[in-house]
Amino acid sequence: MTTTLAPAIRVQGVTKAFKDLQVLRGVDFEVERGSIFALLGSNGAGKTTLVRILSTLLKADGGTATVQGHDVAAAPNDVRESISLTGQFAAVDEVLSGRENLVLVAKLRHLKDPGSVADALLARFSLTDAGGRRAGTYSGGMRRRLDIAMSLIGNPPIIFLDEPTTGLDPQARIEVWDTVKELADGGTTVLLTTQYLDEAEQLADRIAILHEGTIIQNGTLEELKKLLPQTTVEYVEKQPTLEEVFLALVGPSAAGDTTEARPVNQKEASK
């Protein structure tokens, strides 16, 4: 007889308002254990509010949510022991070295041999060579990797990443993506919020689109693509327009300096 494990995260009918502003209007979704679940939405969609509710930092007005089988409202301490939260900005102490940041968190979690814990995480996140340097000297990608490493101390089964690549350059984003994939490969459940479509496409096993406080679609990338009709490919030979020629010759800054050089469309140019 096989038993089905309960989802790592279950959200049912969650609502939240701030005075007259209704932020969440009945959110429902489930996250399978060991998967990457992307909550995709624009700024103000309610992503961070939902993460704050799931991490017990904020109380919902209605609905229920469980994390690792624990009700976030009734058993917040059990939830906190099961999760780690990485916010939009790296929460590292810039004065301390990378290793000292990790040792500090390990001591706060009352782990045995904090130094060994720190060294293992430095190696796991390719930060060993930089471990003795002040965190304030790290690049954006390194700081974010250190931040995530700090979040994993104590081996929480679930990690919330709230827009983890905000403000990072393309190379740093790829570094963080690789880190997130490694987390899921190791069995960690990841709930990722993002407003970047390519990030959700690269990382997520399932994607939920949060819009105006509700989940309007939820599925795998392939399932979401099937919502639109299949496209047909047509090959059209495109000739440069006079506008393109003009801007290529004089530069876009000069486009507004003359009214006589208004581009004409291709049909007119061929007359």
Side-chain angles (χ1 to χ4, degrees):
M1 180 179 177
T2 59
T3 57
T4 302
L5 292 175
I9 301 169
R10 175 178 283 149
V11 178
Q12 295 176 306
V14 168
T15 62
K16 182 64 182 178
F18 297 98
K19 295 185 178 180
D20 296 332
L21 178 62
Q22 192 73 32
V23 178
L24 300 177
R25 304 171 182 269
V27 175
D28 301 275
F29 65 85
E30 294 183 354
V31 180
E32 295 181 5
R33 295 172 186 261
S35 68
I36 301 176
F37 186 92
L39 197 60
L40 180 65
S42 58
N43 285 332
K47 303 186 301 297
T48 297
T49 297
L50 185 55
V51 167
R52 287 174 60 83
I53 290 172
L54 293 175
S55 56
T56 75
L57 297 176
L58 192 65
K59 290 186 177 181
D61 295 334
T64 61
T66 59
V67 174
Q68 201 67 5
H70 307 297
D71 187 286
V72 297
N77 290 335
D78 293 329
V79 171
R80 291 170 192 149
E81 291 179 356
S82 304
I83 67 169
S84 184
L85 170 63
T86 299
Q88 295 182 20
F89 305 99
V92 301
D93 190 317
E94 297 186 356
V95 176
L96 300 179
S97 69
R99 187 176 189 275
E100 288 170 339
N101 270 281
L102 293 166
V103 168
L104 176 61
V105 175
K107 288 181 177 179
L108 291 173
R109 288 184 176 266
H110 306 291
L111 299 183
K112 296 180 180 179
D113 199 357
S116 296
V117 172
D119 291 337
L121 284 167
L122 288 171
R124 178 178 176 182
F125 287 89
S126 303
L127 292 169
T128 299
D129 292 342
R133 286 169 37 201
R134 287 178 52 248
T137 68
Y138 285 11
S139 67
M142 293 170 66
R143 285 165 57 88
R144 180 54 85 184
R145 296 207 312 273
L146 176 61
D147 192 27
I148 295 174
M150 292 164 62
S151 298
L152 292 180
I153 291 176
N155 297 315
I158 298 173
I159 183 169
F160 297 111
L161 300 177
D162 190 13
E163 302 199 22
T165 62
T166 297
L168 298 184
D169 61 52
Q171 181 58 41
R173 291 182 73 205
I174 292 173
E175 292 176 6
V176 173
W177 289 357
D178 291 340
T179 299
V180 174
K181 291 175 183 176
E182 289 174 8
L183 291 178
D185 290 342
T188 302
T189 302
V190 179
L191 189 149
L192 168 81
T193 74
T194 184
Q195 56 182 311
Y196 300 127
L197 301 176
D198 58 337
E199 188 158 271
E201 188 169 358
Q202 285 288 329
L203 294 177
D205 298 303
R206 292 188 70 84
I207 301 167
I209 300 176
L210 183 64
H211 180 65
E212 295 183 349
T214 60
I215 301 292
I216 58 174
Q217 288 295 340
N218 180 354
T220 65
L221 178 62
E222 291 304 316
E223 289 170 346
L224 295 180
K225 286 182 176 180
K226 290 179 181 178
L227 296 174
L228 297 180
Q230 291 187 344
T231 58
T232 57
V233 179
E234 296 181 356
Y235 295 93
V236 178
E237 184 177 350
K238 181 179 182 297
Q239 297 294 327
T241 65
L242 183 56
E243 178 181 14
E244 291 170 334
V245 174
F246 176 77
L247 294 179
L249 292 174
V250 303
S253 62
D257 294 340
T258 176
T259 58
E260 296 180 356
R262 294 288 299 172
V264 296
N265 63 41
Q266 192 170 338
K267 289 182 179 180
E268 292 173 339
S270 62
K271 291 181 180 179

